[in-house]
Amino acid sequence: MSPVPSALIWDPAVTRYKFRPDHPFNPRRLELSVSLMESLGLLGDGCRVVAPRMATDDELLAVHSAEYVDAVKRFSAGGDRSDAFQWGLGTDDTPIFPGMHEVTALVTGATIRAAELVMSGEVRRAFSICGGLHHAHRDRGSGFCVYSDLAAAIAWIRREHGARVMCIDYDAHHGDGVQGIFYEDPEVLTLSLHESGRYLFPGTGFVDELGEGEGYGYSLNVPLEPFTEDGSWLAIHERLLPEVMEAYRPDVVVLQNGCDGHALDPLTHLRATTRLYEETVRIVCEAADRVCGGRVVATGGGGYSIWQVVPRAWTLVWGALSGQPVPDRIPREWLERWQGEAPELLPELVRDAEGAYPAAPRREEIQAANRRTLEQLRRQALPLIRGWGLGF
Ligand SMILES: [Zn+2]
């Protein structure tokens, strides 16, 4: 592994994306993650920190309706909120908070900045750690997401560079917002691996959601069984990802790295370890090196075990993106800095040890069910991807 020119998009100002003190989407996890990267020496040389910028109104309006953006601005400024539910806001999940327009425009701009740096060739990989708001729809907020930074960055890439985009999302929840915005667009392929919508919000992301019109065949979903572990998850990734990328031949990959599929995450039922987040990114980057000049625009996403999981998972994501080996041990100075504030004992290893969590019950059944889902998707979707159809 050798270092790859990379940028981490980060400024503490993005931590103002905060709904209320007890809300699970807690921006503290961003500070903890960047601090762990720093203490491991992963933010030097060709792997630098770059500040975000605000998304412009035009960039937001490329993927959201003017009525929705106007409503967010009004709520953000403390105006009348009697119609908030119509816009998916003011709910328990996605409450209104002062300044929400400005800070979400900054989060959106962070991911567009990542796209600018990658598409201009200044860096090969960029990580917008505060981004990944994959549930925001064209005219509705949802699931902790106000604006879609992912969709706005993809629209920017389409408009400025005319490039084909493959958006890969392995957050534990289905990437419904991004899928919906590009559902009819064959120049944007979305692939989401997530816990099945039968058991988890937002209740979508089944194999037969393949897109519509011109976009039919360019929305791919792998709904995983609850309690899926690294082995089954990675086997699917290894089988499907290079195959789809080589069939579709995108110009750039946009990668959402929600880490809420970890066994300790309080909101989902998947059973990943932190190793999954390193391996998945490695597989994506290797395929991107073969197919699209290594160009990867990465974001964060979900992740609600903020002390135990998120800093380790996203440090491994950053290491794999930037081609820097990540040591196994968490530095003593990091543990000493944060243990006093942590409500639980902080882990000492970046990668979960083998057998760190009890084996899932019914492991073979779960693996078999996931394999069937994968084969169903391959049968239905792969012949639809342009240029495909031989040897299958
Ligand atoms: Zn999630």
Side-chain angles (χ1 to χ4, degrees):
M1 190 149 72
S2 53
V4 173
S6 301
L8 176 75
I9 315 300
W10 165 247
D11 185 286
V14 297
T15 61
R16 292 199 295 266
Y17 191 87
K18 181 169 179 159
F19 294 102
R20 33 160 221 264
D22 61 341
H23 193 285
F25 200 88
N26 185 341
R28 203 71 201 280
R29 64 205 187 122
L30 302 174
E31 292 172 71
L32 295 169
S33 301
V34 175
S35 150
L36 181 56
M37 294 170 195
E38 250 167 13
S39 75
L40 286 165
L42 299 172
L43 296 178
D45 301 328
C47 305
R48 61 207 168 101
V49 175
V50 174
R53 64 167 176 86
M54 295 270 287
T56 64
D57 278 4
D58 277 353
E59 287 164 346
L60 295 173
L61 293 169
V63 293
H64 294 292
S65 67
E67 295 76 11
Y68 176 62
V69 173
D70 283 347
V72 174
K73 286 180 178 172
R74 169 160 47 90
F75 304 145
S76 180
D80 173 29
R81 53 172 73 181
S82 56
D83 59 342
F85 279 17
Q86 175 192 336
W87 307 106
L89 300 172
T91 60
D92 275 355
D93 272 3
T94 320
I96 289 165
F97 61 97
M100 70 194 292
H101 164 74
E102 287 76 11
V103 73
T104 319
L106 184 63
V107 167
T108 303
T111 304
I112 297 174
R113 188 82 191 95
E116 287 170 345
L117 289 166
V118 168
M119 295 309 292
S120 69
E122 279 180 72
V123 297
R124 213 178 312 159
R125 316 252 163 77
F127 186 17
S128 170
I129 192 168
C130 62
L133 305 176
H134 64 164
H135 297 304
H137 297 268
R138 180 171 291 282
D139 54 9
R140 182 164 57 87
S142 172
F144 316 160
C145 304
V146 178
Y147 295 138
S148 183
D149 62 298
L150 290 158
I154 292 168
W156 182 90
I157 292 168
R158 294 282 315 124
R159 193 182 63 236
E160 297 296 320
H161 294 271
R164 273 158 87 82
V165 180
M166 179 164 166
C167 181
I168 304 165
D169 179 332
Y170 58 96
D171 190 285
H173 301 89
H174 175 225
D176 59 337
V178 183
Q179 172 178 295
I181 288 169
F182 298 107
Y183 210 48
E184 297 180 31
D185 187 348
E187 298 300 317
V188 179
L189 184 148
T190 58
L191 166 61
S192 179
L193 292 90
H194 46 264
E195 180 176 341
S196 169
R198 282 206 302 271
Y199 310 100
L200 194 69
F201 177 89
T204 52
F206 296 99
V207 171
D208 57 2
E209 292 168 35
L210 286 164
E212 268 174 15
E214 293 276 294
Y216 189 66
Y218 301 96
S219 293
L220 308 184
N221 289 288
V222 185
L224 300 167
E225 295 292 307
F227 309 114
T228 292
E229 296 166 294
D230 287 5
S232 178
W233 200 328
L234 281 172
I236 290 172
H237 219 71
E238 269 167 345
R239 174 120 166 97
L240 186 64
L241 196 103
E243 190 173 53
V244 171
M245 270 178 83
E246 272 153 34
Y248 187 65
R249 307 214 58 94
D251 299 305
V252 56
V253 170
V254 173
L255 179 64
Q256 201 269 20
N257 295 279
C259 59
D260 46 4
H262 190 279
L264 295 179
D265 195 276
L267 298 195
T268 76
H269 317 99
L270 298 174
R271 305 269 304 172
T273 75
T274 53
R275 291 166 185 269
L276 177 87
Y277 300 101
E278 179 172 46
E279 280 304 296
T280 305
V281 176
R282 188 187 56 75
I283 295 167
V284 170
C285 288
E286 276 179 17
D289 283 343
R290 286 197 302 275
V291 169
C292 58
R295 282 185 286 276
V296 178
V297 176
T299 70
Y304 307 99
S305 175
I306 71 162
W307 297 96
Q308 299 268 5
V309 174
V310 181
R312 296 188 297 144
W314 285 352
T315 295
L316 288 169
V317 166
W318 172 244
L321 281 170
S322 59
Q324 302 180 90
V326 178
D328 259 325
R329 291 229 149 254
I330 294 180
R332 180 86 1 229
E333 62 163 56
W334 190 85
L335 294 171
E336 279 166 8
R337 176 169 174 197
W338 297 106
Q339 185 61 72
E341 293 177 53
E344 50 214 320
L345 192 63
L346 293 171
E348 298 196 346
L349 294 176
V350 178
R351 295 169 187 83
D352 288 313
E354 295 289 344
Y357 309 106
R362 303 184 295 108
R363 178 184 276 172
E364 282 75 28
E365 269 176 67
I366 290 166
Q367 288 172 338
N370 284 336
R371 271 198 301 274
R372 282 194 298 275
T373 302
L374 173 68
E375 291 313 319
Q376 188 193 345
L377 175 68
R378 293 182 68 247
R379 263 196 316 278
Q380 291 188 7
L382 288 177
L384 298 170
I385 297 174
R386 206 164 21 232
W388 188 266
L390 297 173
F392 170 68

